[in-house]
Amino acid sequence: DLTLTTNGSLLKRQARALKDAGLQRITVSLDSLDDAVFQRMNDVDFPVAGVLEGIEAAAAAGLAPIKINMVVKRGENDDSILPMARFFRGTGRILRFIEYMDVGHTNGWRMDDVVTAREIVEMIGSEMPLAPVDPNYPGEVAERWRYRDGSGEIGVIASVTQAFCRDCTRIRLSTEGKLYTCLFATTGHDLRALLRGGASDDEIHAAVSGIWSKRADRYSEIRTSQTAKLHKIEMSYIGG
């Protein structure tokens, strides 16, 4: 299953070429429909309208399903949750809300920055009733919810409050041709050299399988556990 995650800035121009090259589906990062909030969250200089045009181009090219990822950070874009849900409801696009992660090895995960998956579901469900949906496959990272009126579904990814390292089936390939077995991994595996060196499909398959079989990533689980302990210590200190 080959998919691409993109900020959508070039998608309008590249959607057809990506489809023709063998891409099957696409995920677009969009944290708000408000230009100022979107640009602040992502440090970008292109408008939301361009991202939406790219999404429509991807649909026209036959890339499906199209998923929209919204990272939610408390106090930054949590007031965009309902507008995003209203906008994409009934469009056939699958909107997924992701708990904010402070990505990196030197930063601390601040739970007060996190709007939990449960809060998000309750917020949307209070206006647009939801019902749980079974996973599409083992190890699916998003918890699925459908609108009770049949107008589509959303997903919530509890990357902080319910870390899923053990069941993760995702592997990532960077634009530099490095393969990473975890979002937080600092060391990648060079696949570009294999490709440019003329390796066969079987050789590439064997290389990827060998890398994955040695995977022992538990970074999100460890960070979440450490953050929970720190939070308890802080609360104990505050309570005297």
Side-chain angles (χ1 to χ4, degrees):
D1 181 27
L2 181 63
T3 185
L4 172 73
T5 298
T6 173
N7 62 18
S9 61
L10 300 177
L11 190 53
K12 183 179 179 179
R13 283 187 285 163
Q14 300 291 349
R16 176 59 61 182
L18 289 167
K19 175 66 175 178
D20 292 344
L23 188 67
Q24 297 163 331
R25 58 186 179 86
I26 199 159
T27 298
V28 180
S29 298
L30 180 61
D31 296 331
S32 178
L33 295 171
D34 181 278
D35 276 317
V37 176
F38 171 66
Q39 292 175 12
R40 185 172 67 245
M41 285 286 293
N42 296 277
D43 193 27
V44 296
D45 59 359
F46 53 89
V48 170
V51 181
L52 297 178
E53 289 174 356
I55 291 170
E56 293 308 310
L63 293 167
I66 296 175
K67 297 179 180 178
I68 315 298
N69 278 357
M70 176 184 176
V71 175
V72 182
K73 185 177 182 181
R74 192 179 301 279
E76 291 287 339
N77 70 332
D78 47 333
D79 58 353
S80 293
I81 292 172
L82 284 174
M84 286 280 285
R86 295 177 191 127
F87 183 86
F88 287 106
R89 181 184 181 190
T91 64
R93 320 291 184 242
I94 301 173
L95 179 59
R96 305 194 303 178
F97 299 91
I98 305 173
E99 293 177 346
Y100 174 74
M101 296 177 290
D102 192 2
V103 178
H105 287 259
T106 60
N107 302 322
W109 284 14
R110 294 171 49 86
M111 292 304 294
D112 49 359
D113 287 336
V114 178
V115 180
T116 68
R118 189 57 50 203
E119 289 178 86
I120 293 168
V121 169
E122 290 175 355
M123 184 186 303
I124 296 172
S126 66
E127 178 180 318
M128 297 164 273
L130 296 167
V133 182
D134 291 335
N136 281 311
Y137 52 85
E140 185 171 19
V141 298
E143 182 181 283
R144 299 171 61 209
W145 294 81
R146 64 174 178 83
Y147 293 110
R148 289 186 179 274
D149 65 0
S151 56
E153 72 172 76
I154 64 167
V156 287
I157 301 177
S159 44
V160 174
T161 59
Q162 300 176 52
F164 41 77
C165 299
R166 288 180 178 84
D167 297 325
C168 181
T169 60
R170 302 303 176 90
I171 201 164
R172 297 179 181 274
L173 187 65
S174 73
T175 54
E176 295 82 18
K178 292 288 186 69
L179 185 146
Y180 295 88
T181 59
C182 177
L183 175 65
F184 300 103
T186 56
T187 302
H189 305 268
D190 188 9
L191 290 190
R192 184 163 59 182
L194 277 175
L195 290 167
R196 293 186 174 177
S200 67
D201 287 351
D202 287 342
E203 289 170 331
I204 295 170
H205 180 276
V208 173
S209 296
I211 292 167
W212 186 258
S213 67
K214 298 176 183 177
R215 175 185 178 271
D217 304 294
R218 290 188 57 243
Y219 190 76
S220 186
E221 291 178 352
I222 293 169
R223 287 285 294 272
T224 298
S225 175
Q226 291 174 343
T227 301
K229 290 178 181 177
L230 179 60
H231 180 70
K232 287 182 179 179
I233 293 171
E234 290 175 344
M235 294 305 294
S236 175
Y237 178 78
I238 291 172

